[in-house]
Every structure is written in structure tokens, then in C-alpha cells.
Amino acid sequence: MILSIESSCDDSAIAITEIATKKLLFHKKISQELEHSVYGGVVPELAARLHAEALPKILEECKPYFKDLKAVAVTSTPGLAVTLVEGVTMAKAISVALGIPLIGVNHLVGHIYSLFIEKEAHFPLTVLLVSGGHTQVMEVKSLEQIETVAKSMDDSFGESFDKCAKMMGLGYPGGPLIQELAKDGDRKKYNFTIPLSQSKLIAFSYSGLKNAVRLAIEKEDESEYKNIAASFEHIAAAHLTQKLKKYFKEVKPEIFAIVGGASANLYLRSQIEELLKPHKATLLLSELKYCSDNAAMIGRVAIEMYEKGMFSSMDELDISPRSKL
Ligand code: KG4
Ligand code: ZN
């Protein structure tokens, strides 16, 4: 079995996965959303302190599995430096105490493998990762052949929902709150500009849209928020579909996947389903409970890395806030 730890942002999670069967034997996650909600976003130092409390609590429940562990895996990149350290330090301590090897996992690869929890992985596929930290399209041929072909130049898709929710005083995380508010809103009422629509570039940008939403919020009263939220959600999704349409002119994937916390967005899912219809491409999604950050996906990647002998020594394994992908 492999024990895996996730602490790259505001979720403390540990999983136990059986190597031979890929079965998830244990998974527990303690989210810090409530604690960060009053600030309208994640406060890194507070997050680190909460991980230091939550991770040992969860680990206590894993003790019965200790004798069967063959490796310990942990998210080491990308994420908040002060929170990554919490997980990596714990992983190193377990590695020393139990005399088992260490595996450092890239969180973004984790999101890709969230598609294959308790399943065989199959490639090639094109993956759109939409989370709080990232908005990028990746061509995935195998665990070690992952190429990012488009990414955001500034804010991420999920982050723009968080910021809009904060400006409306709704709380954190903004994605589900904006989605709920937008349900009864008029998606066409505010004619926000689709970012980079005049540009040939296949890239993303959300900071301009966020500013346009800010101006609308400042001008209107609260009764208009649902229409602003609906129009924002529409344009945020339209930006992705417009760029993907351009991309599909060059590359025709048979399987297209959406992963990451914001892949839970129902409007985005429906718009991408529409986009894929003429291409006859299959849409692959993670189970809803594995869209947002979790340790099951880290454990799933760790099985592949274990089988390939991709271990890190104590000195080698270091945190890196920025991903190479
Ligand atoms: O993958 P994730 O849990 O953490 C990162 O790796 O960043 O993603 C969290 C992000 C947050 O920005 C959150 O607002 C967004 O995912 N999110 C959503 C929805 N649910 C979560 N964004 C839009 N619509 C949703 N339904
Ligand atoms: Zn994530």
C-alpha cells in the first residue's frame, strides 16, 4: 500500500491506496473553506497552521495500515510554499520512521489522474485543467509525456470566480457560490467582452473580465448580482470554448477531459459538451468528489511512480511553489 498526503493549498488530505489493485482503502480530507471564507480567499499562514493540526489527526486513523506501507507519497509542487512544507515534512518523517521510500508528486499530474481513481489509466488524451491555481490545456501521452499547450497569462478560471464572489461579499470558495447565484440570472444582460477574442493566441486571461465585473458591481445594487454572476459565468466559459474551438481546428482529440476544482462547474461542462459534439470526441470527467483537491489522486499517481521506481531521496525531495508543467 501507499500512503499519500496532499497539502498544497487549503485541503488537508491523506489516502491509502493498494498498489496491486489500485483500490482506495482510505481517504479523508479536512477542508479549511470555512476558516478562509471570512477573508474571501486563502491566507497562507493560516492554512499552514490548520494543516499542522489536521494532518496528524488524519494520520492517527491510518495507523492500522502502517505495517503494509511500501512507500509514502506527497504533493511537492506546485502550491503554497508554507503549506507544501507541512505535507512534505510529514512524509519525510514517515519515510524515516517506517524505512520506506519517498515519492514526490506533481499536483497537476494528480488532477489528471483524478480521472482514473480505482481504474486503469488510458492515453492519449487532451486535458483542460481548471482550478484555483491553474487554467491550462495539456496533451497527455503518458505519465512522463505531458505537454502544456495553452495556459492562462494571469488569473485562473477558478480564481476569477473566487474574486467575483469576494467582490459581491459572498464568501469563499466562489465557484459554487457564483454557480448557485447565476442559476436564476440572465446570462445575456451584461455584455462583458470575451477575453483575447481578437487574438490568434491560444491562451487564457481572466484579469480583464474580473475588472469588468468589478465595474458592474460598483454601478449596480445587489438585486443585479444574479445577472452579473450569470453573465460573468457565461463569458468565463465562452472564453474557454472559443479558444478550444481554435485549438480543435489544429488538433482533433478523441478523448477530452476536464479536471480540477472548477471542472465541477455545470455550465462549463454543458458548454464543453456542446463544443465536442461535432468532433465526436468523448468527454471524460472525474467523479465530483475527486474534482477538488484530494489525496486519492496523489495516491493514484504514486502507484504509477512506484511501479517505475520513481523515488526521491530525503535531500532531493524539496517543495517547489511553481510547477514545471
Ligand atoms: O482544484 P482545486 O480544489 O484547488 C486548486 O488546485 O486550485 O480548485 C479550487 C477552485 C476554486 O477556485 C473554486 O472556486 C473553484 O475551484 N470551483 C469552482 C466550482 N467549484 C469549485 N469554480 C466554478 N464553478 C464551480 N462549481
Ligand atoms: Zn488542485
Side-chain angles (χ1 to χ4, degrees):
M1 296 170 197
I2 293 178
L3 182 144
S4 55
I5 305 170
E6 159 63 37
S7 71
S8 66
C9 189
D10 60 343
D11 294 296
S12 318
I14 301 183
I16 307 277
T17 318
E18 193 169 60
I19 298 166
T21 60
K22 302 184 171 59
K23 215 171 146 49
L24 184 63
L25 302 174
F26 172 93
H27 182 231
K28 188 159 184 178
K29 165 163 131 172
I30 299 179
S31 290
Q32 310 172 352
E33 287 170 355
L34 265 182
E35 286 88 344
H36 295 290
S37 187
V38 283
Y39 304 104
V42 178
V43 181
E45 278 69 23
L46 173 61
R49 191 159 55 72
L50 293 169
H51 284 304
E53 278 170 31
L55 288 174
K57 263 192 214 149
I58 308 176
L59 188 66
E60 195 62 36
E61 292 182 44
C62 300
K63 275 193 176 155
Y65 299 101
F66 277 11
K67 61 182 186 325
D68 297 308
L69 295 181
K70 293 280 180 269
V72 53
V74 62
T75 301
S76 56
T77 184
L80 300 168
V82 290
T83 66
L84 286 168
V85 155
E86 295 296 330
V88 169
T89 308
M90 174 176 265
K92 286 183 174 178
I94 295 171
S95 166
V96 172
L98 301 181
I100 53 176
L102 267 173
I103 299 174
V105 177
N106 182 309
H107 182 82
L108 309 189
V109 181
H111 276 302
I112 296 171
Y113 275 82
S114 69
L115 296 162
F116 307 122
I117 307 283
E118 302 199 314
K119 287 183 205 147
E120 276 310 323
H122 52 88
F123 303 112
L125 48 116
T126 302
V127 179
L128 169 67
L129 166 67
V130 273
S131 67
H134 296 83
T135 301
Q136 61 193 60
V137 180
M138 292 173 282
E139 291 287 353
V140 188
K141 293 202 180 102
S142 70
L143 173 69
E144 292 148 291
Q145 285 178 289
I146 303 173
E147 191 192 348
T148 298
V149 291
K151 61 163 124 183
S152 177
M153 308 190 304
D154 42 59
D155 293 353
S156 76
F157 180 83
E159 189 181 5
S160 70
F161 279 72
D162 295 335
K163 289 186 175 164
C164 289
K166 185 179 181 179
M167 292 189 282
M168 291 183 196
L170 300 176
Y172 172 85
L177 299 165
I178 293 279
Q179 172 169 291
E180 184 58 29
L181 187 64
K183 246 179 20 196
D184 306 317
D186 178 354
R187 300 199 183 274
K188 298 276 154 72
K189 177 129 189 210
Y190 292 86
N191 201 7
F192 299 127
T193 311
I194 300 180
L196 305 176
S197 63
Q198 302 303 321
S199 161
K200 283 204 178 96
L201 224 72
I202 303 186
F204 309 108
S205 166
Y206 280 98
S207 65
L209 176 59
K210 172 189 69 189
N211 282 328
V213 169
R214 182 173 55 77
L215 294 176
I217 291 170
E218 281 169 9
K219 218 162 72 200
E220 307 291 350
D221 62 43
E222 270 183 45
S223 64
E224 271 303 305
Y225 284 7
K226 65 172 197 261
N227 297 325
I228 297 175
S231 302
F232 156 73
E233 189 177 46
H234 172 63
I235 299 298
H239 175 33
L240 288 175
T241 50
Q242 193 178 68
K243 289 299 180 191
L244 286 171
K245 201 169 173 181
K246 259 202 175 90
Y247 178 69
F248 289 160
K249 282 197 177 133
E250 293 161 24
V251 182
K252 309 225 174 293
E254 278 173 29
I255 305 172
F256 185 82
I258 326 175
V259 301
S263 69
N265 187 275
L266 297 175
Y267 187 67
L268 175 65
R269 286 181 172 203
S270 71
Q271 296 304 101
I272 294 209
E273 265 168 24
E274 278 305 307
L275 178 73
L276 291 178
K277 267 184 198 160
H279 297 281
K280 299 198 170 51
T282 308
L283 178 63
L284 208 59
L285 296 160
S286 316
E287 267 183 72
L288 223 40
K289 60 183 172 202
Y290 301 128
C291 287
S292 60
D293 290 349
N294 64 82
M297 67 188 196
I298 304 304
R300 182 63 189 83
V301 177
I303 293 178
E304 306 285 324
M305 293 179 74
Y306 178 87
E307 283 169 349
K308 289 177 188 286
M310 295 165 74
F311 304 116
S312 297
S313 71
M314 198 68 80
D315 298 338
E316 269 166 12
L317 185 65
D318 203 359
I319 60 138
S320 169
R322 291 191 166 276
S323 169
K324 287 201 182 91
L325 284 176

